[in-house]
Amino acid sequence: KDYEVMAGWKQYHSDQCNGIIVVGGGSSIDCAKGVGIIASHQGSILDYEGIDTLKPPCPPMICIPTTAGSSADVSQFAIITDSQNRRKIAIISKALVPDISLISPETTMTLDSHQTAQTGMDALCHAIEALVSNASSPVTDLFSLNAISLISNHLSKAVNNLKDIKHRDPLMLASMEAGFAFSNASLGAVHAMAHALGGYSDANHGESNALLLPHVIRFNFKSATDRYLRIGKAMDLDFIGKTQEQARDILLNHLIQLTQEYGLNMKLSNLGYTLSDIPQLARTAIKDPCLLTNPRPVSIGELEELYAEAL
């Protein structure tokens, strides 16, 4: 949150620090990035919303991620909550890529099954949205597809065998590769809508992504059919002899089954949202930079319809 970033900067300043080491998940890492921004730029963290708003370099940063999901340890994104206006802002700059990231599956061994599932679904969503992004490239596609394959093969096994590092290891690799992909290709409507949920009511990011992903895929499918078919094949789904609509439904049903398996199959209404919340959520999501790379243009009315479907 914005006030946590400013409190962190005060500590950084009072202790005359000259670098940052951060241990934790995506929120911890983004908070540390925010502290680094203020240490080199001054002002309020909310002043730096947007793309390439940073000029001086940030202090040196070493990341030790403890989840296989956020990819904040390798990305140029920092997502900060504007607590007064109940929204999340995105700060996007190459200056935010950490200098060193010590990435090891051993740091994820204390995650419980729910944390493992929700962070894994976050990484899966990163890879999927990067692959269908209108800013994707052959290089980011390689990372996306391998991340999707690794998550598909190992996430369920990790959730059911929490202390087995041989499944944690490929998930950590997948998270890193998905981070390389979306840091360069950006994301889409799932993340724009999830950021709005998180800012509005502190909704868990991984859960929000899992909830919204099938609805957004259905909306986007005709605009990126070949890429969604590649995603299904990376998940080892059988599309042989199927029409495009049948293949779409196989992919959607598979993702829905995963959320049910992981206990992430809630609706927005289960999280306390009502129809009256939707206009504000849509007004916030329409301003999110992740929408710029969604494969299909999205209007504010369509965002309201997607939120209503997820209700």
Side-chain angles (χ1 to χ4, degrees), residues 210-273:
L211 186 159
L212 294 166
L213 182 59
H215 301 283
V216 172
I217 289 178
R218 189 183 300 278
F219 175 83
N220 283 339
F221 192 82
K222 288 185 178 180
S223 298
T225 301
D226 290 343
R227 289 185 168 268
Y228 283 118
L229 294 179
R230 291 174 70 186
I231 289 166
K233 291 174 182 177
M235 293 178 166
D236 293 327
L237 300 180
D238 183 7
F239 293 156
I240 296 174
K242 306 299 183 183
T243 66
Q244 290 182 352
E245 290 75 17
Q246 289 171 331
R248 176 202 63 196
D249 290 343
I250 290 171
L251 174 59
L252 291 174
N253 289 335
H254 176 69
L255 291 171
I256 291 168
Q257 288 172 3
L258 287 180
T259 62
Q260 291 173 342
E261 177 185 345
Y262 302 146
L264 302 175
N265 59 320
M266 73 291 290
K267 297 181 179 181
L268 288 180
S269 56
N270 301 137
L271 302 177
Y273 293 95

Side-chain angles (χ1 to χ4, degrees), residues 22 71 78 102 181 249 307:
V22 53
S71 311
L102 305 177
D249 290 343
Y307 278 124

